[in-house]
Amino acid sequence: MTKIVNHWIGGKTVEGASGTHGPVTDPATGEVTTKVAFASVDEVDAAVAAAKEAFATWGQSSLAQRTSILFRFRALLDAHRDEIAELITAEHGKVHSDALGEVARGLEIVDLACGISVQLKGELSTQVASRVDVSSIRQPLGVVAGITPFNFPAMVPMWMFPLAIACGNTFVLKPSEKDPSASVKLAELLAEAGLPDGVFNVVHGDKVAVDRLLEHPDVKAVSFVGSTPIARYIHTTASANGKRVQALGGAKNHMLVLPDADLDAAADAAVSAAYGSAGERCMAISAVVAVGAIGDELVEKIRERAEKIKIGPGSDPASEMGPLITKVHRDKVATYVEGAAAEGAEVVLDGSAYTYEGAGFENGHWIGISLLDKVPTSAKAYQDEIFGPVLCVLRTETYEEALDIVNASPFGNGTAIFTRDGGAARRFQLEVEAGMVGVNVPIPVPVGYHSFGGWKDSLFGDHHIYGNDGTHFYTRGKVVTTRWPDPADAPAGVDLGFPRNH
Ligand code: NAD
């Protein structure tokens, strides 16, 4: 029987009333296993109304009440790691260990939210003028929305809602329609942890649901993570509707390898970062820039390692890389490899025709490993975010040429440099145009207490996600100026001049 995933509104499961559903496919088998309800405008309105009603009390709740619920949620999340990872693998296709990794990184943000009291401490200046004190406080916004991509169905929502609700907001999540089950599990765990009804809601769906959130007058802020064209649209539309917006987009992450680098370490890192999660990560390394004479040796080391990657169902502990999310996406990724030679690249490994041999898995969205060398910057395989297991290697003579390539990219999410030269690494950190930089670290996803975000077409809006930026995004400032006159003071009298401090 086909499983049905419903909305979560006001603390309970709500069946989709619109009658519209979308298919959820197991990428390893190609079978539709689940139907997910698609919300109508009325259903989104019901979720926002539940969140608005809950805000009346949640926004006034004490920090101790909020954090004690988050501590309980953290314990439940920890206890249900495997179950959540299994839901992710069944709908996304990534291998179980990788799915566990995303739950662990989401849990880091819950850790941060458990300590929200420290971040919300505020500031006080005493005696700024005679018997006058000034305090700065931050208050929640109200109902906030999150719209999330398919590639991290548990982690990316957890980049958003733990901090949002810790700050006193209530939340409406619109997760990816391609792998919706993990978000419902998170909602159930939040309820079990004691979160009051309506503080966290999930509406599933497509553009209809998203557009309603973007225009709804009671939604005060929108956090988005997804592809660049949709991020740009979300930023423009929600901003035009007067909302605070952070919209994180796509990426093309470069890894520079300087001639003095440890080439074995660099090759290990490039292979892990390019092919992990089948390249469906916004922090995947998709372009290696080999500087100087090391190019041939580096490509050979990458090839040797890449060839050994075990591709198979995410549920098989022997698999290192699973299938792609949809058949359409699989076929699109293949076209980049098929067209690469005509665009001037050398095809070192061609995984475009790969298929996994195994009964029951014939219709999975399989693709193999591809490695393209000497890729010109004009090639589509270089210019586009492929979001698949295709690594482009570019060659340059100098560091400066390599830096120019990275900085000419419209994307600026993550980047890395591999070198033993501290001076060169330091120069790169300062000169590169990207939001997250790794020095001998290929996937520099920041820890929860720093913040995550790119530059250029990888982020629209002023705030990175989580860290101090997250707290700032989900609160607004208020400054209170107070005077308690001494009874012995002479009356101030009327003074129409602009207030001065003395
Ligand atoms: P996507 O942009 O297709 O979808 C993201 C969300 O937007 C989903 O919830 C989807 O339902 C919704 N959506 C899709 N089309 C829409 C439309 N026309 N109008 C309104 N809403 C729409 O992204 P995806 O394919 O789910 O995820 C992969 C992309 O996300 C990649 O580009 C990847 O780089 C990016 N990503 C970025 C980050 C980051 O931190 N910068 C993190 C993860 C993923």
Side-chain angles (χ1 to χ4, degrees):
M1 228 176 73
T2 311
K3 173 179 152 188
I4 298 190
V5 175
N6 286 305
H7 311 300
W8 181 272
I9 299 174
K12 59 179 189 301
T13 299
V14 174
E15 281 182 24
S18 71
T20 313
H21 288 87
V24 179
T25 307
D26 178 345
T29 62
E31 273 169 37
V32 174
T33 55
T34 305
K35 276 169 46 173
V36 57
F38 274 18
S40 62
V41 166
D42 286 347
E43 287 167 312
V44 173
D45 286 357
V48 175
K52 188 180 179 188
E53 192 187 332
F55 179 67
T57 34
W58 184 250
Q60 306 292 321
S61 61
S62 70
L63 284 167
Q65 282 170 316
R66 287 183 232 155
T67 52
S68 61
I69 291 168
L70 283 161
F71 272 111
R72 284 199 291 276
F73 173 62
R74 192 207 180 280
L76 288 166
L77 197 57
D78 186 29
H80 288 82
R81 284 174 197 249
D82 259 316
E83 194 185 330
I84 297 168
E86 276 162 21
L87 291 172
I88 295 169
T89 297
E91 295 179 353
H92 175 286
K94 66 176 74 172
V95 298
H96 186 72
S97 55
D98 195 29
L100 279 174
E102 87 157 89
V103 178
R105 294 307 299 260
L107 203 139
E108 274 185 15
I109 313 303
V110 182
D111 288 344
L112 181 71
C114 288
I116 197 72
S117 319
V118 178
Q119 292 203 54
L120 289 182
K121 262 194 326 204
E123 294 170 335
L124 171 69
S125 301
T126 55
Q127 199 66 354
V128 298
S130 182
R131 283 190 260 285
V132 175
D133 302 333
V134 175
S135 59
S136 295
I137 57 176
R138 298 202 69 84
Q139 294 188 297
L141 307 175
V143 180
V144 300
I147 302 157
T148 53
F150 81 83
N151 68 323
F152 285 107
M155 180 184 78
V156 171
M158 285 194 275
W159 282 359
M160 303 172 181
F161 73 76
L163 279 179
I165 63 179
C167 289
N169 302 284
T170 55
F171 202 90
V172 179
L173 173 66
K174 205 304 281 173
S176 171
E177 66 281 19
K178 296 191 177 93
D179 43 17
S181 292
S183 58
V184 176
K185 184 70 204 170
L186 295 175
E188 288 167 359
L189 295 180
L190 283 164
E192 198 179 331
L195 192 72
D197 295 348
V199 175
F200 181 74
N201 307 274
V202 184
V203 286
H204 301 286
D206 57 4
K207 186 169 166 55
V208 172
V210 171
D211 284 350
R212 183 56 186 153
L213 288 170
L214 300 184
E215 70 186 25
H216 198 299
D218 290 333
V219 173
K220 302 300 177 199
V222 176
S223 298
F224 172 87
V225 176
S227 60
T228 288
I230 309 299
R232 188 181 274 118
Y233 166 75
I234 300 278
H235 183 250
T236 309
T237 312
S239 302
N241 287 325
K243 302 184 193 320
R244 189 177 284 203
V245 196
Q246 52 180 185
L248 282 70
K252 192 85 186 177
N253 304 309
H254 297 72
M255 171 173 152
L256 262 63
V257 183
L258 299 193
D260 68 343
D262 175 336
L263 292 191
D264 284 307
D268 284 341
V271 170
S272 309
Y275 304 115
S277 199
E280 290 175 324
R281 289 181 185 145
C282 67
M283 288 294 273
I285 289 294
S286 46
V288 163
V289 189
V291 179
I294 46 116
D296 289 349
E297 194 183 344
L298 179 65
V299 169
E300 181 52 22
K301 285 179 185 293
I302 292 174
R303 187 188 63 75
E304 278 169 12
R305 288 160 171 79
E307 271 181 341
K308 292 185 191 142
I309 292 172
K310 292 192 191 67
I311 301 170
S315 54
D316 180 348
S319 305
E320 294 173 294
M321 187 183 109
L324 290 178
I325 185 74
T326 61
K327 174 83 168 58
V328 172
H329 184 53
R330 193 227 84 88
D331 292 348
K332 186 171 178 214
V333 171
T335 61
Y336 287 103
V337 183
E338 289 154 6
E343 291 183 307
E346 279 181 20
V347 181
V348 180
L349 293 173
D350 179 350
S352 58
Y354 172 87
T355 181
Y356 178 75
E357 304 291 337
F361 297 105
E362 298 84 355
N363 297 321
H365 314 146
W366 303 108
I367 195 155
I369 300 286
S370 294
L371 176 61
L372 310 176
D373 191 15
K374 298 182 182 152
V375 181
T377 52
S378 56
K380 271 188 83 56
Y382 170 71
Q383 288 182 348
D384 291 1
E385 180 187 37
I386 299 178
F387 227 52
V390 181
L391 177 61
C392 294
V393 179
L394 293 85
R395 308 281 193 108
T396 66
E397 293 297 321
T398 64
Y399 161 84
E400 286 78 10
E401 282 172 70
L403 181 74
D404 286 348
I405 288 177
V406 185
N407 286 351
S409 170
F411 299 107
N413 212 40
T415 188
I417 188 165
F418 276 69
T419 180
R420 291 182 168 105
D421 180 343
R426 182 173 185 278
R427 199 180 147 189
F428 182 69
Q429 300 172 32
L430 299 178
E431 292 177 344
V432 75
E433 292 178 19
M436 293 167 282
V437 183
V439 176
N440 299 316
V441 172
I443 306 187
V445 174
V447 288
Y449 36 96
H450 284 256
S451 63
F452 183 110
W455 286 18
K456 302 192 275 187
D457 286 358
S458 296
L459 186 144
F460 303 89
D462 303 325
H463 291 89
H464 285 199
I465 213 157
Y466 66 74
N468 289 342
D469 267 28
T471 308
H472 208 266
F473 182 77
Y474 290 124
T475 54
R476 53 188 166 173
K478 186 178 275 178
V479 182
V480 182
T481 303
T482 309
R483 164 177 285 139
W484 290 109
D486 190 300
D489 286 350
V494 175
D495 179 356
L496 299 196
F498 195 70
R500 277 171 298 162
N501 295 317
H502 47 78

